[in-house]
């Protein structure tokens, strides 16, 4: 029994990082298969050897394909390589700092030695302005911050750890994650639609069956994969759209059910303003002016009932 008590189950979570690197390779393979099927097999030949309307259609399809591919990969790399947000060392809530300042003032006024520091009290539970403490990081926990057992650290406004990007999704890369979902969905829908004619023609026209077995396999694989990803991403985007509209993370869904009104829900317009959109970049002005991107404090709705 003593051996079982000493086993650290969180070490097994660290093994998921290895799975994440395999996912990176899988993403690269899916992109390569789709690129070959759309550009090399289906629409590239039409652009080079077609006539009239087919050339124009091929040019439009290939331009849209490459534009969405660039945006998708840009967002993906931003999610992978952007730190979701780390808690500063020895972080304390502003209310605790005020209490400590008052305590230090009293100490000085009473001529008590100032080299004796009483550690602040933290509680492991709570949200909003309640003090929290992470026993594993030995540090304070800002509001909406959670400890990731895979990364083995606390992450600001943690949403989840995503094995597809080998990274946590948190305050500073959540926007990039959402844009990655959107552009990937648009890309997979486009790929499915533009491969559908070739897919149908192959089974209807025997003359097209002279294609090599590898080309046929790649066409079939690309079509099925893109269709499957488009359908699954539609559900995933719907879920995250609902979360964004209510300013809730995936982790906070359960917490929100226990409250009468969610204190971070400022209305869908203001909730969206905390992310804002389209390009996977944050200006220095946004990082300075939008507290949610800093991840240490969040505007709350006055009068919210917890």
């Amino acid at each position: 029994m003593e051996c079982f008590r000493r086993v650290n189950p969180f070490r097994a979570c660290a093994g998921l990082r290895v799975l994440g690197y395999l996912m990176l390779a899988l993403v690269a393979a899916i992109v390569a298969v789709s690129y070959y099927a759309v550009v090399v097999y289906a629409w590239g030949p039409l652009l080079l050897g077609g006539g009239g309307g087919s050339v124009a259609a091929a040019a439009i399809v290939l331009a849209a394909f490459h534009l969405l591919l660039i945006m998708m990969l840009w967002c993906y790399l931003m999610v992978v390589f952007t730190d979701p947000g780390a808690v500063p060392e020895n972080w304390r809530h502003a209310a605790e700092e005020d209490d400590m300042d008052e305590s230090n003032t009293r100490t000085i006024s009473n001529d008590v030695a100032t080299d004796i520091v009483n550690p602040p009290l933290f509680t492991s539970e709570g949200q909003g302005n309640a003090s929290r403490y992470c026993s594993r990081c030995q540090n304070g926990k800002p509001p909406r911050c959670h400890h990731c057992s895979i990364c083995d650290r606390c992450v600001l406004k943690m949403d989840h750890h995503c094995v597809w990007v080998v990274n946590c999704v948190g305050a500073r890369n959540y926007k990039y994650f959402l844009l990655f979902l959107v552009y990937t969905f648009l890309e997979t829908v486009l790929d499915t639609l533009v491969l559908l004619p070739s897919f149908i023609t192959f089974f209807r026209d025997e003359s097209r069956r002279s294609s090599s077995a590898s080309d046929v396999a790649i066409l079939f694989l690309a079509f099925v994969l893109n269709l499957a990803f488009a359908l699954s991403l539609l559900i995933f985007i719907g879920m995250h759209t609902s979360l964004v509209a209510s300013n809730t993370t995936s982790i906070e869904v359960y917490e929100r059910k226990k409250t009468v009104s969610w204190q971070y829900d400022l209305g869908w317009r203001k909730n969206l303003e905390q992310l804002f959109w389209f390009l996977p970049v944050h200006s220095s002005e946004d990082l300075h002016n939008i507290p949610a991107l800093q991840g240490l404090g969040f505007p709350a709705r006055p009068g919210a009932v917890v």
Side-chain angles (χ1 to χ4, degrees):
M1 288 297 293
E2 186 64 27
C3 294
F4 287 106
R5 290 175 182 173
R6 293 182 179 180
V7 172
N8 184 0
F10 294 107
R11 290 181 180 176
C13 296
L16 291 176
R17 293 187 68 86
V18 177
L19 177 61
Y21 295 119
L22 295 177
M23 290 299 186
L24 292 178
L26 179 60
V27 169
I30 294 172
V31 170
V33 167
S34 299
Y35 193 91
Y36 182 89
V38 174
V39 177
V40 179
Y41 179 82
W43 290 90
L46 288 178
L47 181 65
L48 298 177
S54 61
V55 172
I60 294 173
V61 167
L62 293 176
F65 174 86
H66 284 93
L67 176 61
L68 290 175
L69 180 63
I70 290 171
M71 295 304 300
M72 182 189 77
L73 293 177
W74 184 9
C75 296
Y76 184 71
L77 293 175
M78 290 298 290
V79 181
V80 172
F81 293 109
T82 300
D83 191 317
V87 182
E89 189 175 356
N90 298 321
W91 182 87
R92 288 187 178 91
H93 196 279
E96 295 166 23
E97 293 179 353
D98 292 342
D99 291 343
M100 290 194 68
D101 289 341
E102 292 178 9
S103 177
N104 289 337
T105 301
R106 294 193 208 101
T107 302
I108 294 172
S109 63
N110 293 326
D111 295 322
V112 179
T114 58
D115 58 347
I116 300 175
V117 179
N118 294 320
L121 297 176
F122 295 89
T123 58
S124 59
E125 298 295 329
Q127 61 184 27
N129 293 330
S131 303
R132 302 188 304 162
Y133 183 75
C134 179
S135 58
R136 299 190 66 197
C137 294
Q138 298 291 302
N139 198 5
K141 291 176 70 174
R144 315 184 79 177
C145 172
H146 296 273
H147 187 93
C148 175
S149 300
I150 300 174
C151 297
D152 195 26
R153 64 167 182 156
C154 283
V155 176
L156 299 176
K157 197 190 175 185
M158 180 177 173
D159 187 87
H160 68 288
H161 184 95
C162 182
V163 294
W164 287 94
V165 301
V166 204
N167 198 4
C168 274
V169 177
R172 295 173 188 172
N173 66 351
Y174 185 66
K175 169 185 173 178
Y176 308 150
F177 175 75
L178 287 179
L179 290 177
F180 169 63
L181 293 182
V182 171
Y183 286 122
T184 303
F185 172 72
L186 295 176
E187 177 77 345
T188 53
V189 169
L190 176 67
D191 292 357
T192 302
L193 293 177
V194 300
L195 289 176
L196 183 59
S198 299
F199 192 75
I200 295 174
T201 302
F202 172 79
F203 287 101
R204 285 185 176 179
D205 188 354
E206 293 184 0
S207 64
R208 293 293 299 271
R209 297 183 186 180
S210 59
S211 301
S212 66
S214 60
D215 285 345
V216 174
I218 290 175
L219 171 64
F220 182 82
L221 183 61
F223 179 80
V224 172
L225 282 176
N226 279 281
L227 178 60
F229 273 100
L231 294 175
S232 59
L233 283 170
L234 180 61
I235 298 172
F236 209 48
I237 289 173
M239 182 190 76
H240 276 278
T241 300
S242 174
L243 293 176
V244 170
S246 60
N247 203 347
T248 311
T249 66
S250 300
I251 294 177
E252 291 171 341
V253 170
Y254 177 72
E255 295 179 20
R256 188 183 178 194
K257 290 180 179 178
K258 297 187 294 183
T259 65
V260 177
S261 57
W262 185 239
Q263 61 179 324
Y264 300 117
D265 187 358
L266 307 177
W268 68 271
R269 289 181 182 273
K270 290 187 177 180
N271 293 340
L272 287 178
E273 289 174 1
Q274 294 185 19
L275 289 172
F276 209 75
W277 288 98
F278 302 126
L279 292 178
V281 290
H282 287 305
S283 67
S284 57
E285 183 179 354
D286 288 341
L287 292 173
H288 182 266
N289 294 333
I290 303 177
L293 296 179
Q294 301 170 19
L296 296 174
F298 303 88
R301 182 172 58 182
V305 181
V306 180

